[in-house]
Amino acid sequence: SAKEKGKNMYEFYHNYLKEKNPKQLSLEADVRKAVKEKQFEIFYQPQIGYANGKMFGVEALLRWNHPKEGLIKPEDFIAIVEDSELIIELGEWVLSESSKQVKSWQEQGCENLYLSVNVSIKQFFHHNFIGKIKEIFEETGYNLERLDLEITESLAIKDVEYAKDIFDKLRHLGISISMDDFGTGYSSLNHLKNFSIDRLKIDGSLVRDIEHDEKARTIIDTIIVMARNLKLLSLAEQVETVEQEAYLKSIGCNEVQGYLYSEPLTGDDMGEFLANNYNASLLNRVDVS
Ligand code: C2E
Ligand code: MG
Ligand code: MG
Ligand code: MG
């Protein structure tokens, strides 16, 4: 009976919830409310080109201003959100908010500024993903030639044929595609042959090991050579030290992102940062000879 079913469901959730730690439990319960009450905030981190040392874009990174826990990073909630349909709503909110913000910076003198946005698996494989993208950007009036979507390889290979088709449709709209966290997943060369993408983002876990692990250096070097030969851009993420920068420069990495240049900033702080630094070189003067 329905009543029995209800009781079983109750027992199921009861047991399921019991196994989670209280903190995670209350986070889960708070997500829906947080979406409604706009407790989420977008931070922006500069992306810098090695050719001239200048910032050309920003990556939108989600933060949660939790009323009790304070500022929470995605690692502590994104998996929970991605487990539910809420990620669709939240992902759409990120696209809409960040594009409005970056458009206003473009109008204030940073005409060519790029926006990079992370896309989660549920969003990407949602049947109306392309339709939603069109709708959101028609509404915000954002130039899609200045939009980059960051997609992880492990996401794309869940359904290679479907992903290929979505990539093609996105690129047809003028959107660029970056393969995020490259070097950590399957990194199959065959996929790179199949997918029409624009950029490889080399994962921070490889960058972190540059100074003390020759194998990490060799892998990064190989990724960059391969990217160049496939006519893809390469970006190293989570660059923290001048030694890492010197190495990346010496092997011809195209772009960088990391605390060495700037942490992710609030919209207000990024606005100020752009006003002072948009045309300045952000690279440290490192002798790579
Ligand atoms: P990601 O896209 O690979 O983002 C890079 C992460 O590295 C960010 O963590 C960033 O704050 C951090 N980072 C940047 N520079 C440095 C550095 O020099 N050192 C170190 N140690 N870390 C650095 P964050 O903001 O915590 O985001 C973590 C992940 O959450 C992101 O990884 C992305 O996969 C996901 N994420 C963030 N925002 C969104 C979003 O709006 N939607 C979706 N679906 N996922 C998001
Ligand atoms: Mg990313
Ligand atoms: Mg990444
Ligand atoms: Mg990552």
Side-chain angles (χ1 to χ4, degrees), residues 42 45 59-63 73-75 78 82 87 90-91 94 117-121 123 150 152 180-181 201 203 208 237-240 257-260 262-264:
I42 301 168
Q45 187 180 38
E59 178 176 8
L61 293 161
L62 196 57
R63 298 288 179 269
K73 286 188 165 187
E75 63 197 76
I78 205 88
E82 278 176 344
I87 190 65
L90 190 56
V94 172
V117 183
N118 295 285
V119 172
S120 83
I121 185 160
Q123 254 181 303
E150 299 193 0
T152 62
D180 206 355
D181 304 344
K201 290 192 79 176
D203 195 67
R208 194 191 305 141
E237 58 175 20
Q238 302 188 9
V239 176
E240 293 184 358
Q257 204 180 327
Y259 296 164
L260 182 61
S262 167
E263 289 187 23

Side-chain angles (χ1 to χ4, degrees), residues 16 51 56 85 87 98 121 127 179 187 192 200 205 217 226 250:
Y16 168 76
F56 62 86
E85 294 300 318
I87 190 65
S98 62
I121 185 160
H127 64 90
M179 199 134 274
S187 302
L192 287 183
L200 298 182
S205 62
R217 286 195 294 276
M226 182 184 67
S250 75

Side-chain angles (χ1 to χ4, degrees), residues 58-83:
V58 291
E59 178 176 8
L61 293 161
L62 196 57
R63 298 288 179 269
W64 183 0
N65 280 309
H66 192 280
K68 278 179 271 167
E69 306 284 336
L71 202 66
I72 313 181
K73 286 188 165 187
E75 63 197 76
D76 294 323
F77 67 84
I78 205 88
I80 300 171
V81 184
E82 278 176 344
D83 265 351

